[in-house]
């Protein structure tokens, strides 16, 4: 009976903790409420299975407890029970995976009118690049990274001459506008993660990974690296600020272009 009581308390305690717990997700600040909905579906399915399995164990312990003279009935197999369990498991797994597949398809399908923003990571610093007046980002290669050209822009690409460079500063984004986040690492694995955006992606040296989002409320949010990247990993933090249109434009006007940065460093001017 003690085992039965413990199992019942585990079920009741787990359900109450889930329903009454003060800990929940941070308030969302992007369009990815789909991810929250997918997690809720997973919680419901796994929660129902958890309650059913533990309750069944408690019933079996109580119902088939030892009594003098009782003999166990040996049944080597039960096809009906096996089909029921296998079929139920398959339905449950499909119900958990299907919503995630739909969300993933949306996550990687970037709308046509989305503005590009590049995030460049290195031990242990975040830098950013935004398109200039032409609305296009120029080419960049890790092999071209130098102290004077920290993001490795191609000096012979005219599209990159007016790119705005933010090295180690804040990233600003306009509220209500979709943003195509291009991710590049110049050294080791990193991961760009803003918890309130519900969006993250690994940054792999030699590759450009991406995702997209639409910020839905203004505010200041912390950027975290969600991939162990060395001894300075805990300190690799940054800031993203979501602005109203006027504030965002004011911030843009204060940023330096690649051409201006190159000129101030004494480097030969880029070839136009």
């Amino acid at each position: 009976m003690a085992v039965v009581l413990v199992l019942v308390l585990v079920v009741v305690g787990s359900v109450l903790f889930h329903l009454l717990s003060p800990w929940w997700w941070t308030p969302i600040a992007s369009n990815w409420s789909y991810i929250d909905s997918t997690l809720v579906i997973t919680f419901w399915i796994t929660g129902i299975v958890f309650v059913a399995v533990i309750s069944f164990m408690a019933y079996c312990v109580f119902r088939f407890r030892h009594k003098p003279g009782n003999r166990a009935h040996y049944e080597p197999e039960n096809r009906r029970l096996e089909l029921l369990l296998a079929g139920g498991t398959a339905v449950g797994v499909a119900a958990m995976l299907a919503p995630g597949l739909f969300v993933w398809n949306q996550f990687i399908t970037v709308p046509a009118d989305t503005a590009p923003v590049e995030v460049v990571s290195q031990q242990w610093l975040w830098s950013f690049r935004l398109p200039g007046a032409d609305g296009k980002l120029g080419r960049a290669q890790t092999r071209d990274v130098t102290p004077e050209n920290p993001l490795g822009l191609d000096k012979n690409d005219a599209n990159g001459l007016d790119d705005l460079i933010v090295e180690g500063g804040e990233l600003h984004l306009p509220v209500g506008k979709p943003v195509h986040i291009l991710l590049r690492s110049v050294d080791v694995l990193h991961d760009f993660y803003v918890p309130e955006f519900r969006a993250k992606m690994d940054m792999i040296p030699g590759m450009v990974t991406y995702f997209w989002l639409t910020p839905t409320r203004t505010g200041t949010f912390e950027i975290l690296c969600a991939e162990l990247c060395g001894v300075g990993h805990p300190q690799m933090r940054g800031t993203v600020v979501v602005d109203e249109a006027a504030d965002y434009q004011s911030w843009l006007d204060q940023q330096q272009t690649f051409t201006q940065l190159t000129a101030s460093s004494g480097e030969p001017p880029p070839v136009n």
Side-chain angles (χ1 to χ4, degrees), residues 148 155 259-269:
E148 297 76 23
K155 298 180 180 181
T259 299
Q260 291 170 333
L261 286 173
T262 304
S264 64
S265 69
E267 282 282 296

Side-chain angles (χ1 to χ4, degrees), residues 137-233:
L137 290 176
R139 294 189 300 270
Q141 295 287 345
T142 301
R143 62 172 175 266
D144 293 329
V145 171
T146 65
E148 297 76 23
N149 184 8
L151 304 190
L153 272 68
D154 185 345
K155 298 180 180 181
N156 298 315
D157 183 5
N159 290 329
L161 301 183
D162 64 346
D163 287 357
L164 304 178
I165 308 298
V166 183
E167 186 181 9
E170 294 180 343
L171 171 64
H172 285 238
L173 299 175
V175 67
K177 301 290 185 181
V179 183
H180 184 188
I181 306 293
L182 301 167
L183 304 168
R184 189 159 56 92
S185 171
V186 300
D187 43 38
V188 300
L189 284 175
H190 298 281
D191 190 297
F192 181 76
Y193 178 41
V194 178
E196 292 85 354
F197 286 168
R198 298 294 193 274
K200 60 186 291 191
M201 184 66 70
D202 278 352
M203 308 171 77
I204 304 171
M207 295 178 60
V208 177
T209 53
Y210 72 94
F211 63 87
W212 74 278
L213 64 98
T214 300
T216 55
R217 63 183 175 96
T218 58
T220 300
F221 309 101
E222 187 174 26
I223 302 170
L224 306 175
C225 179
E227 190 73 53
L228 183 60
C229 58
V231 295
H233 168 70

Side-chain angles (χ1 to χ4, degrees), residues 3 5 7 25-26 30 52 54 58 65-66 91 133 143-144 158 168-169 175 194 197 223-224 245 250 252 272:
V3 174
L5 181 60
L7 292 173
W25 299 302
T26 56
S30 77
I54 302 300
R65 64 191 184 279
H66 173 70
V91 170
R143 62 172 175 266
D144 293 329
V175 67
V194 178
F197 286 168
I223 302 170
L224 306 175
S250 176
L252 276 183
N272 193 340

